[in-house]
Amino acid sequence: MKEEKAITDTHPTYDAYAPQWEFFLRSYLGGEHYTSGAFLTQYVSEGEKEYNRRLDLTPMDNHCKNIVHIYSSYLWRIPPTRSFDKMAGDPSLESFLKDADLDGRSFDSFMRQAQVWSSVYGHVWLMMDKPASVAGTKAEELDQDIRPYVTMFTPENVFDWKYKRSPSGRFELEFLKVREEVNFIDNTETESFFREWTPETVRSYRIRNDGVYAEEIVPNPLGRVPAVFLPSNRSNIRGIGISDLTDVAPMQRAIYQELSEIEQLIRISNHPTLVKTYETDASAGAGAVINLPDDMDANLRPYQMQPSGQNLDAVRNTINDKVEAINRMAHMGAVRGSEAVKQSGIALQTEFQMLNAKLSEKADLLELAEEHLWSLFCDWQGHDNNMVEVFYPDSFDLRDYDKELVFLQQMRATGVKSTVLAQEVDKKIADLLLDDEKLAKAHLEIEASTTAVGDYSDKTQIYAYHMDSGVVTANEVREKIGLEDVAGGDELLQPKVSQPSEA
C-alpha cells in the first residue's frame, strides 16, 4: 500500500559532501573505478574513442590505498585489549566476538575494516542492532542465536542525521536515516530499503520509482538510536569527518595525468607522424614504401615529424616531486622512501614523532567509538554499561631497529670500563627484542649479571688476591660476578712462593 507521508528531508551537508566522498572512494579503489570519471583531461579535438583508449593505457600508481593500509598496519600491529569483568564467558559475548556482523567477521576484523573505510571517506557510521525475538529467556535466545550484531554504513548510505543537546550538555543522536539495500528490478527501475531511527520508533520502508511504500513502524526497544559515529579525523561539523586522503587524492590525480603524458610521449617518439599530400601513396610500418608522383613539387615531398623525448625526464622528475609531497603530507617520508633516506637523525625522529601522534589520535577515536558500541551491547543484553573497558595502544614504536642495534653494538665495542654503561646498553638491546611480559625479567637479569663486570674497584682486587692465594677457585669468583664456569676453573691455584735473592 502506497503511503502519502513525505520522506524526511535529506541533511543539507549530504549533497555538498557527496562528490568528495565519491572522489576519495575512486582514488582508493583505483583501476576502472578511478578512470570511470573525469579524472583525465581530454585533449582538444580528441575523439571519445581515442580518449577511452588513453584511459585504458594509462597505469595507476595508487598512493592512496598504500597510505591507508600503512596506517592500518601500524594501528593494528598490536590488537586492542578488552576487560569484560563479570560478562566474561557469556556465550552471547563469545559468539559476538567471533562473528560480529553475522557474516563471519570477528569483531577485531570488523573494527579494522571500519577504520580503513573511515580513512577513505572521512567517517563511517557503526550501528548495533538486535533481531526481534519472541524468546522468553536468555537460554531460548542463545538456542536461536539471537544476539546483538554490528553493521557499518558508509556516508553515501546515510541520508540524514540530527544531534540534540541533552539537559546534561551532552550531544545525543536523536535521528538517523540509512539506506540498507538497493535492488535493481530492471534497467530503469530500482528498489531501495530505508530505515529511520528515533529514540521512540523505528520506521522501515522501501522506495520505488512510483513512490514510497511503508513497511512497518515499531517501538524502539532500546530507547536511543543505536548508532556510533567513527571519524578518521574530526571536523567542525558534527556527523562529518575529514578523510586521510583529503590532500593526497588530488596529488595522485595529478600524477595520473602525468603518467598519461609519459605514455603519450613514448608512443609518439617511437612512432613519428608522416606529413604527405593526398596524392602520395605511403604504407606504414617498418620498411615502409612511399610512392611519389613524377610531377611532384620538391617542396611538397613527404617528411616525418618526430618530437624529442627530452621532456620525458622532466615529467618523471615532477612525478617524483609529487610523490615526495605525498610522503610529506602523510608523514611517511621515512616509511615509504624507496631510496636511501638522506635526512638527518633529528629529522627522521621528528617525522616519526609526527606520524606517531597521528596514529595515537586515530587510536583514541577508535577506542572511544568501541566504548560506545560496548555500551549499546550492554543495553541490548541488559548488562551494566561499566563492565567493559577497552584499551588501544597509546604509542606506536616507529624506531629504526637496525640502526639502533648497530649503534648499541658500536657502543659495546668502545671498551669503556663502566658497569652502568654496560647495563644500559644491554637494556636498550633487550627493549628492541622483547615484549613487555619478558622485558622486566630481562632487566633484572641484566642488573644482576653485570654488577661487577668491568669494575676494577677494591672488590675485584680482593677477588684476585684470594684466587692467587688459593682461597677460592676461578669459577667461584665467576659465579659471584655473573659469568659462566670455564673448564679447569674448579681447581685452586697454588700460592706463589717468593724465592730469596742471591747475595
Side-chain angles (χ1 to χ4, degrees):
M1 177 178 178
K2 186 184 294 187
E3 185 184 19
E4 299 298 334
K5 184 178 179 180
I7 310 173
T8 307
D9 294 335
T10 56
H11 196 280
T13 57
Y14 173 83
D15 293 332
Y17 282 84
Q20 290 191 28
W21 294 331
E22 181 182 3
F23 177 53
F24 296 149
L25 176 63
R26 290 186 175 183
S27 299
Y28 172 78
L29 295 176
E32 296 179 356
H33 301 278
Y34 194 73
T35 59
S36 59
F39 292 94
L40 197 61
T41 304
Q42 192 167 359
Y43 296 146
V44 178
S45 302
E46 184 180 26
E48 193 68 25
K49 182 178 180 181
E50 290 76 13
Y51 176 69
N52 291 331
R53 176 175 173 79
R54 188 157 60 92
L55 285 175
D56 185 54
L57 293 176
T58 303
M60 176 67 177
D61 189 7
N62 199 327
H63 296 276
C64 291
K65 180 179 289 187
N66 182 255
I67 287 174
V68 168
H69 285 277
I70 287 177
Y71 285 156
S72 179
S73 66
Y74 277 111
L75 283 169
W76 294 93
R77 183 175 58 178
I78 301 177
T81 58
R82 305 176 181 93
S83 174
F84 297 106
D85 197 22
K86 297 179 182 178
M87 199 168 60
D90 188 341
S92 62
L93 173 64
E94 299 297 329
S95 178
F96 174 78
L97 291 174
K98 294 179 181 179
D99 184 7
D101 59 351
L102 299 181
D103 198 22
R105 283 191 298 182
S106 67
F107 185 63
D108 279 344
S109 177
F110 174 84
M111 290 300 296
R112 180 168 185 169
Q113 287 297 314
Q115 178 268 315
V116 168
W117 288 114
S118 68
S119 292
V120 175
Y121 285 100
H123 71 272
V124 292
W125 292 85
L126 309 178
M127 179 166 287
M128 182 166 293
D129 199 0
K130 184 178 180 180
S133 172
V134 295
T137 62
K138 292 287 185 181
E140 292 178 358
E141 284 190 351
L142 290 174
D143 292 339
Q144 300 174 19
D145 195 24
I146 295 176
R147 56 171 176 80
Y149 66 94
V150 286
T151 307
M152 181 182 68
F153 290 97
T154 52
E156 70 266 27
N157 293 310
V158 179
F159 282 73
D160 199 4
W161 63 94
K162 184 179 180 181
Y163 282 90
K164 182 180 179 180
R165 188 184 288 274
S166 65
S168 64
R170 186 187 302 273
F171 280 96
E172 296 179 352
L173 185 65
E174 68 169 9
F175 179 77
L176 185 69
K177 174 184 174 181
V178 297
R179 179 175 59 187
E180 295 185 326
E181 187 179 0
V182 178
N183 294 328
F184 291 88
I185 300 174
D186 52 38
N187 294 334
T188 60
E189 187 174 7
T190 60
E191 185 178 48
S192 302
F193 292 84
F194 287 82
R195 183 172 295 188
E196 295 180 357
W197 288 84
T198 66
E200 295 79 21
T201 61
V202 181
R203 178 174 179 241
S204 303
Y205 57 90
R206 69 179 187 272
I207 298 178
R208 298 181 67 172
N209 292 14
D210 57 347
V212 181
Y213 295 82
E215 291 287 330
E216 60 178 347
I217 300 178
V218 298
N220 185 350
L222 203 61
R224 61 171 170 155
V225 180
V228 176
F229 173 68
L230 173 60
S232 178
N233 301 279
R234 291 186 181 274
S235 73
N236 58 347
I237 300 177
R238 194 171 298 277
I240 297 291
I242 301 175
S243 171
D244 291 331
L245 308 181
T246 301
D247 300 321
V248 177
M251 194 67 72
Q252 178 175 290
R253 178 169 59 181
I255 293 176
Y256 185 70
Q257 297 270 4
E258 291 171 1
L259 287 173
S260 176
E261 293 297 324
I262 287 181
E263 192 273 335
Q264 293 293 300
L265 277 172
I266 295 175
R267 185 175 299 277
I268 294 175
S269 299
N270 291 337
H271 302 279
T273 302
L274 177 65
V275 181
K276 69 180 186 65
T277 62
Y278 283 105
E279 292 80 10
T280 303
D281 182 14
S283 60
V289 178
I290 301 177
N291 297 317
L292 302 177
D294 295 335
D295 55 350
M296 172 172 282
D297 187 351
N299 295 326
L300 299 178
R301 291 183 178 276
Y303 62 92
Q304 287 184 338
M305 294 180 59
Q306 184 171 9
S308 65
Q310 297 178 354
N311 295 335
L312 187 61
D313 289 336
V315 177
R316 291 178 64 251
N317 290 334
T318 60
I319 291 178
N320 292 334
D321 292 341
K322 289 181 174 60
V323 173
E324 291 181 4
I326 289 176
N327 293 337
R328 186 169 58 253
M329 290 184 291
H331 309 304
M332 288 193 177
V335 177
R336 295 197 338 138
S338 57
E339 299 178 357
V341 180
K342 299 180 181 179
Q343 294 175 301
S344 66
I346 299 298
L348 286 174
Q349 184 178 5
T350 302
E351 189 163 16
F352 279 141
Q353 290 175 351
M354 294 174 66
L355 180 56
N356 186 24
K358 185 178 183 67
L359 294 174
S360 298
E361 183 180 356
K362 287 181 171 295
D364 290 340
L365 293 173
L366 284 167
E367 183 176 308
L368 179 61
E370 188 171 326
E371 287 176 351
H372 290 167
L373 283 176
W374 285 116
S375 173
L376 292 171
F377 183 91
C378 292
D379 284 354
W380 279 119
Q381 296 298 92
H383 295 296
D384 184 2
N385 290 343
N386 298 324
M387 294 180 66
V388 182
E389 294 182 349
V390 184
F391 304 95
Y392 276 74
D394 294 325
S395 179
F396 300 87
D397 194 356
L398 304 176
R399 297 179 297 180
D400 192 336
Y401 290 95
D402 293 337
K403 288 186 177 180
E404 288 197 31
L405 186 57
V406 171
F407 172 75
L408 293 172
Q409 290 174 338
Q410 291 174 349
M411 285 296 300
R412 253 183 165 183
T414 56
V416 178
K417 306 301 182 183
S418 171
T419 304
V420 175
L421 179 62
Q423 286 182 356
E424 293 304 317
V425 169
D426 289 344
K427 288 180 181 179
K428 293 293 184 182
I429 294 176
D431 292 343
L432 296 175
L433 301 178
L434 302 178
D435 54 20
D436 295 337
E437 295 180 358
K438 300 179 180 179
L439 193 57
K441 182 179 178 181
H443 281 191
L444 293 175
E445 292 175 347
I446 291 171
E447 291 174 357
S449 63
T450 58
T451 301
V453 173
D455 183 8
Y456 291 90
S457 60
D458 294 341
K459 182 184 295 186
T460 55
Q461 294 179 10
I462 292 174
Y463 285 150
Y465 173 77
H466 287 167
M467 288 175 57
D468 293 339
S469 301
V471 177
V472 295
T473 65
N475 282 343
E476 289 175 337
V477 174
R478 292 178 67 86
E479 183 180 358
K480 287 286 186 181
I481 63 176
L483 299 178
E484 296 180 357
D485 294 347
V486 295
D490 294 326
E491 300 292 335
L492 292 172
L493 298 178
Q494 295 296 324
K496 296 181 179 178
V497 179
S498 58
Q499 299 292 335
S501 58
E502 295 181 0

